[in-house]
Amino acid sequence: MVRSFILLAAVQLVLLVLALIGALSADRVRTMPRALWVLAILLIPLIGAIAYFVWGRPLPAPAEGGPTRRNTARPASPDDDPDFLRSMNTEQARRDRELLAQWERELQKPDDE
């Protein structure tokens, strides 16, 4: 019985140390500021460390060539995407200006025929 308590205490100590090292060395942490994570890990020994590993660790960077993660919701269709509509409007406006310039050149040509 004493051996199991010693083993559990050692596991808890290892989790505490790993969580502290992870929280203090990470560039960014999720869901709470870094200071609150450190306090949670120190003041709530086992649950704080487990909570940090579940909710606090930064997400790993996506692998090269793999799918990218988006933080915002994706538009369901192109006409819901404001960036796409803006690019379509500018592309259509450019085509309209070119067509208008072509018509003006045609109207200014003298009729030689």
Side-chain angles (χ1 to χ4, degrees), residues 1-78:
M1 187 76 165
V2 173
R3 290 180 187 169
S4 62
F5 284 128
I6 292 173
L7 178 67
L8 290 176
V11 167
Q12 180 177 347
L13 182 65
V14 168
L15 277 175
L16 177 96
V17 169
L18 289 176
L20 275 176
I21 290 172
L24 293 173
S25 66
D27 291 334
R28 296 177 57 203
V29 292
R30 294 184 298 160
T31 64
M32 288 194 313
R34 183 185 321 269
L36 288 179
W37 275 120
V38 171
L39 286 175
I41 292 168
L42 290 175
L43 297 177
I44 312 169
L46 184 61
I47 297 171
I50 292 172
Y52 171 74
F53 286 122
V54 173
W55 294 296
R57 287 180 46 186
L59 295 174
E64 278 191 42
T68 57
R69 254 189 332 268
R70 295 179 66 137
N71 292 337
T72 58
R74 296 179 68 178
S77 63

